[in-house]
Amino acid sequence: MTKKPDCIELTHGSGGLATDRLISDLFMAAFDNPELARRNDGAVIDRVDGRIVVSTDGHVVTPLFFPGGDIGQLAVHGTVNDVAVMGAEPLSLTAGFIIEEGFEVALLEKIVRSMGAASRAAGVPVVAGDTKVVERGKADGVFITTTGIGWLKDGIDLSCEQARPGDAVLVSGTVGDHGLTILAAREGLDLGPELKSDSAALHAMTKRLTEAVPGLKVMRDATRGGLAAVLHEIAEASGVGMLITEAAVPVSDAVKGAGELLGLDPFHVANEGKLVAVCPAEQAEAALQALRADSRGSQAAIIGTVTDDADRFIEIETPFGGRRLLTRPEGDPLPRIC
Amino acid sequence: MTKKPDCIELTHGSGGLATDRLISDLFMAAFDNPELARRNDGAVIDRVDGRIVVSTDGHVVTPLFFPGGDIGQLAVHGTVNDVAVMGAEPLSLTAGFIIEEGFEVALLEKIVRSMGAASRAAGVPVVAGDTKVVERGKADGVFITTTGIGWLKDGIDLSCEQARPGDAVLVSGTVGDHGLTILAAREGLDLGPELKSDSAALHAMTKRLTEAVPGLKVMRDATRGGLAAVLHEIAEASGVGMLITEAAVPVSDAVKGAGELLGLDPFHVANEGKLVAVCPAEQAEAALQALRADSRGSQAAIIGTVTDDADRFIEIETPFGGRRLLTRPEGDPLPRIC
């Protein structure tokens, strides 16, 4: 057995013996599954009869490790969720690593093991991958691009364009946790154990929701730009407005405190384990119960209603009975949040 | 209509309005297809009945533009080929962009248009994508990770482990073109119009080959590490050796000259439009004819034979009747070749 190097070298990305050893020692061990073990250019997934869903996401989060998670598990959860919110059952993942020369092998191993654990916990294997190495100063540690493949059952057709006036808007739990955790970590602030990323795989929840709510129209995970970005995307795509009850949107005390301290609105920052759903009003209660039945959805809430508004405004009803507009964010106020 | 910015800013990766505009103005325009236009978290691919193949590859080539291609078309060709050499029909691609802050929008547009053109020419649409932006100095222009989804017809089961003594080894054309082109470009050498990347999509060729050669055992595209790396991978996985006739391996005069000038062996550097195939000896002629029937395979050749060799050596028979061992490369001698 060859001694493992301490740092990633350019030759680890050159497709030869060094790449082989890195793949065997590190990736195979962490992602352990028979398709990957065949070492072909790609993987064969089980037979599928029906529509296939595919989604891809690059992960460039900084710091690489943060309270509640790391880039590896985030990459798994993010892509599992992108497939799941389309109403599909995630089948497999692929992972492309772009690594900076000099990156510590021990850190890479920690990240890859975390990905492996998240993938096994979700039951969605990493079946194919790729490793590239770029020179020192040409990347930032490690970037991970994951792609998810899913199977979409007949009869399910969710899309952002389907919200109609009168529909109910739900969120699956507290908002702002991931974004404020990352910012606090960057600022070196320890705001206590309550403030941590909500990074989680939501495919059990989305399955439950699609089964319980035949009229379900939209599911979206509220990542970059947070709740505000998702509500605006749905309103924009459907040509509607929304009226959201501020007090109905769950925000943890830790996030509230961090938001005030750091000057960020929890509605505007990323979540990595929360979804927004839209369904007909008469099925809202069934949707709420389905969300709450999931271990990740105990704080789910009906937060508002879709309105007939040619301006596509998202109005927030404040606890004092006033109304304000929820601005459409230019983007997540934090770069490299995921 | 908003004026396009000249350079990519961090906010283009933050998931808000700026990202939206970049996607609409640039990606949608170049990749124009209905699934992408729905702006969901992922894409729905047509009904599939059978096995699905998936493959992923990060592209970090430098320079971004080179004789015969650019990173955009390379990303399309590379991933189409990875799916195709598994014997599958490529259906769709996803593309994840990681862009350095300050990168020129005009260059990005050129790259994305080139990707779009390559994808349309191949008939394999880019159905889902993602854009992240990292700070200046934290990436190198643009990195593109593509994932390909394909459909694998029943009865096709190619794999590196299946080469057996007596089998024929074929290559689909000249070797070394891409690698030597990139190196010459980096060195600022103009070695004439003959020296250019062979970047090309090979799925028409692989389809023809699998149809013509029922006993086909292995197809691999000879990318990083070139012909040498692929022959060694197959020998290693199958537990066999090979005897290759040096004079039978097609190498263009331009590549020969560049190789001598730059001190690189064309057998050891990357190709982006060439495949190696292994089949039973009695089907070798049919395989050769199938390869040559393709516009990209006019110089295809039978280059050697699989041998019974516990040491898994790749022996080269020289034009003078001697024999030498083809070393197993530590990796491609050039970093960031693809």
Side-chain angles (χ1 to χ4, degrees), chain B residues 202-249:
Chain B
L202 297 178
H203 55 317
M205 178 188 281
T206 56
K207 184 165 192 280
R208 208 186 282 268
L209 191 60
T210 48
E211 284 170 359
V213 185
L216 191 64
K217 296 177 165 191
V218 185
M219 289 194 290
R220 284 301 284 258
D221 54 339
T223 53
R224 281 184 289 185
L227 179 66
V230 171
L231 296 180
H232 275 285
E233 272 172 46
I234 298 170
E236 191 66 33
S238 296
V240 297
M242 290 183 187
L243 178 61
I244 302 295
T245 306
E246 184 164 5
V249 181

Side-chain angles (χ1 to χ4, degrees), chain A residues 224-226 229 268 328-334, chain B residues 11 13-19:
Chain A
R224 281 184 288 187
H268 278 92
R328 181 164 194 194
E330 262 292 317
D332 201 287
L334 305 173
Chain B
T11 182
S14 62
L17 275 173
T19 310

Side-chain angles (χ1 to χ4, degrees), chain A residues 13 20 41 45 52 55 224, chain B residues 13 20 41 45 52 55 224 328:
Chain A
D20 272 5
D41 272 328
I45 300 178
I52 292 291
S55 185
R224 281 184 288 187
Chain B
D20 272 7
D41 273 327
I45 299 177
I52 292 291
S55 186
R224 281 184 289 185
R328 182 163 193 197

Side-chain angles (χ1 to χ4, degrees), chain B residues 142-338:
Chain B
V142 61
F143 302 141
I144 307 176
T145 300
T146 36
T147 302
I149 320 292
W151 171 71
L152 187 58
K153 204 174 160 177
D154 281 342
I156 298 181
D157 189 18
L158 305 175
S159 186
C160 262
E161 311 131 7
Q162 305 187 109
R164 294 291 172 269
D167 286 347
V169 182
L170 295 95
V171 66
S172 67
T174 56
V175 302
D177 301 76
H178 180 74
L180 282 156
T181 302
I182 295 292
L183 186 56
R186 282 191 205 156
E187 302 289 328
L189 295 174
D190 182 357
L191 300 177
E194 300 302 310
L195 188 68
K196 60 171 195 273
S197 172
D198 59 342
S199 176
L202 297 178
H203 55 317
M205 178 188 281
T206 56
K207 184 165 192 280
R208 208 186 282 268
L209 191 60
T210 48
E211 284 170 359
V213 185
L216 191 64
K217 296 177 165 191
V218 185
M219 289 194 290
R220 284 301 284 258
D221 54 339
T223 53
R224 281 184 289 185
L227 179 66
V230 171
L231 296 180
H232 275 285
E233 272 172 46
I234 298 170
E236 191 66 33
S238 296
V240 297
M242 290 183 187
L243 178 61
I244 302 295
T245 306
E246 184 164 5
V249 181
V251 183
S252 79
D253 289 342
V255 166
K256 262 183 208 146
E260 279 163 25
L261 193 65
L262 297 165
L264 280 177
D265 178 356
F267 285 19
H268 277 92
V269 300
N271 310 279
E272 293 293 338
K274 298 294 153 46
L275 63 81
V276 169
V278 177
C279 70
E282 63 276 15
Q283 295 179 30
E285 194 53 37
L288 184 64
Q289 293 317 318
L291 289 173
R292 287 192 175 162
D294 189 278
S295 61
R296 295 273 170 192
S298 58
Q299 296 187 75
I302 300 171
I303 60 169
T305 225
V306 177
T307 59
D308 186 0
D309 181 350
D311 291 328
R312 304 170 188 194
F313 284 151
I314 312 287
E315 286 189 289
I316 301 281
E317 187 162 56
T318 68
F320 314 104
R323 287 192 183 186
R324 63 179 171 90
L325 290 184
L326 182 66
T327 53
R328 182 163 193 197
E330 263 292 318
D332 200 287
L334 305 172
R336 303 185 56 189
I337 194 74
C338 61

Side-chain angles (χ1 to χ4, degrees), chain A residues 193-245:
Chain A
E194 300 302 308
L195 188 68
K196 60 172 197 272
S197 171
D198 59 339
S199 176
L202 297 178
H203 55 319
M205 179 189 280
T206 56
K207 184 165 191 279
R208 208 187 283 269
L209 191 60
T210 48
E211 285 170 359
V213 185
L216 190 66
K217 297 176 166 191
V218 184
M219 288 193 290
R220 284 301 283 258
D221 55 339
T223 54
R224 281 184 288 187
L227 178 67
V230 171
L231 296 180
H232 275 285
E233 272 172 45
I234 298 170
E236 191 66 32
S238 296
V240 297
M242 290 184 189
L243 178 60
I244 303 294
T245 306

